[in-house]
């Protein structure tokens, strides 16, 4: 237990390159999958669950008819509205988790990293470099940030306008496209691929950038380097020495 708390999912937190246990990463992805699923239900409810409800106590006959001879009644009707307070907190937590996984010291602040490392402690460790995973979490953080702005346009507009000292964004209307919330379903797909199939979209982006020469260092995971075998060889050489 102490080793789990000390090292978390790192093979060696001080080593270069930094390697993390992909088994724990997949467990964590399964945990965090709950966030986009919850937001997906929120989006579904906001679109299809906001039906008008007629207050039966306020119905009265207007003593008038329409062109088709239908009697016209007057009544108060209500409709559910969302303030997205809870959803905002959930998104902020998801943003925190995305950022926390990118660095060794911030990883120690993440409850899901600690829990996933604990759950993976008796399973076979699959060591992979941290750098490609940062692309996945950066992509996730970007989509979460867009959703946060979409659900809180006035608050974000007030911040931007206050910093700029002039009106750059309207604070009384939605200025983002209405397809932005659908990113939660993209997050569901990406995290499902990571948790179930072990397919990391961010890692593939890193691999592509390496191929294009944007990154000079090689993609260690793509080279299929067996870190356990390297560790055994070093231990054997130390023993012989």
């Amino acid at each position: 237990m102490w080793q789990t708390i000390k090292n978390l999912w790192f093979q060696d937190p001080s080593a270069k390159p930094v390697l993390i246990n992909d088994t724990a990463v997949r467990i964590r992805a399964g945990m965090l999958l709950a966030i986009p699923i919850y937001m997906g239900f929120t989006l579904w409810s906001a679109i299809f669950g906001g039906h008008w409800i007629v207050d039966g106590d306020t119905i009265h006959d207007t003593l008038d008819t329409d062109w088709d001879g239908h009697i016209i009644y007057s009544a108060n009707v209500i409709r559910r509205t969302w303030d997205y307070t809870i959803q905002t907190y959930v998104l902020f937590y998801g943003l925190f988790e995305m950022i926390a996984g990118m660095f060794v010291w911030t990883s120690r602040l993440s409850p899901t990293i600690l829990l996933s490392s604990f759950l993976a402690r008796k399973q076979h460790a699959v060591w992979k470099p941290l750098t490609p995973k940062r692309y996945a979490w950066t992509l996730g953080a970007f989509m979460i940030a867009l959703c946060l702005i979409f659900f809180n346009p006035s608050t974000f507009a007030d911040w931007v306008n206050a910093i700029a000292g002039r009106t750059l964004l309207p604070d009384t209307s939605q200025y983002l496209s209405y397809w932005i919330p659908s990113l939660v379903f993209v997050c569901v797909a990406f995290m499902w691929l990571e948790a179930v199939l072990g397919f990391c979209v961010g890692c593939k982006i890193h691999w592509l950038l390496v191929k294009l020469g944007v990154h000079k260092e090689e993609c260690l995971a793509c080279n299929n380097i067996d870190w356990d075998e390297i560790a055994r060889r070093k231990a054997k050489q130390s023993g012989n020495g």
Side-chain angles (χ1 to χ4, degrees), residues 11 36 41 90 97 111 163 169 232:
Q11 186 185 53
F41 278 116
V90 171
E97 286 289 351
I163 294 173
L169 295 175
R232 285 193 293 269

Side-chain angles (χ1 to χ4, degrees), residues 42-197:
T42 296
L43 181 61
W44 182 270
S45 179
I47 295 175
F48 299 106
H51 303 298
W52 292 104
I53 301 175
V54 179
D55 184 353
D57 295 332
T58 63
I59 298 177
H60 68 274
D61 192 343
T62 63
L63 303 178
D64 199 359
T65 59
D66 62 11
W67 291 102
D68 296 323
H70 300 139
I71 300 175
I72 299 176
Y73 291 89
S74 175
N76 291 333
V77 294
I78 59 176
R79 189 177 186 182
R80 180 183 182 182
T81 59
W82 291 86
D83 64 358
Y84 301 112
T85 300
I86 296 177
Q87 287 77 10
T88 298
Y89 290 149
V90 171
L91 286 173
F92 266 120
Y93 178 74
L95 182 61
F96 159 75
E97 286 289 351
M98 293 296 104
I99 296 174
M102 295 183 187
F103 310 98
V104 174
W105 69 274
T106 52
S107 296
R108 303 192 181 283
L109 305 176
S110 168
T112 60
I113 292 178
L114 176 60
L115 183 56
S116 62
S117 300
F118 177 77
L119 295 176
R121 71 192 188 285
K122 294 184 179 179
Q123 300 184 40
H124 176 68
V126 180
W127 302 111
K128 291 189 177 181
L130 174 62
T131 302
K133 295 296 181 183
R134 286 174 176 158
Y135 280 85
W137 298 326
T138 300
L139 188 61
F142 174 75
M143 290 190 285
I144 291 174
L146 279 181
C147 288
L148 273 170
I149 297 172
F150 181 88
F151 289 119
N152 302 274
S154 298
T155 302
F156 183 76
D158 290 340
W159 290 351
V160 172
N161 295 338
I163 294 173
R166 58 192 179 92
T167 303
L168 295 179
L169 295 175
D171 56 5
T172 58
S173 62
Q174 178 59 266
Y175 43 82
L176 294 182
S177 300
Y178 281 92
W179 58 265
I180 294 295
S182 62
L183 291 174
V184 298
F185 300 110
V186 178
C187 288
V188 169
F190 285 0
M191 299 182 95
W192 183 88
L193 287 171
E194 175 75 68
V196 178
L197 302 181

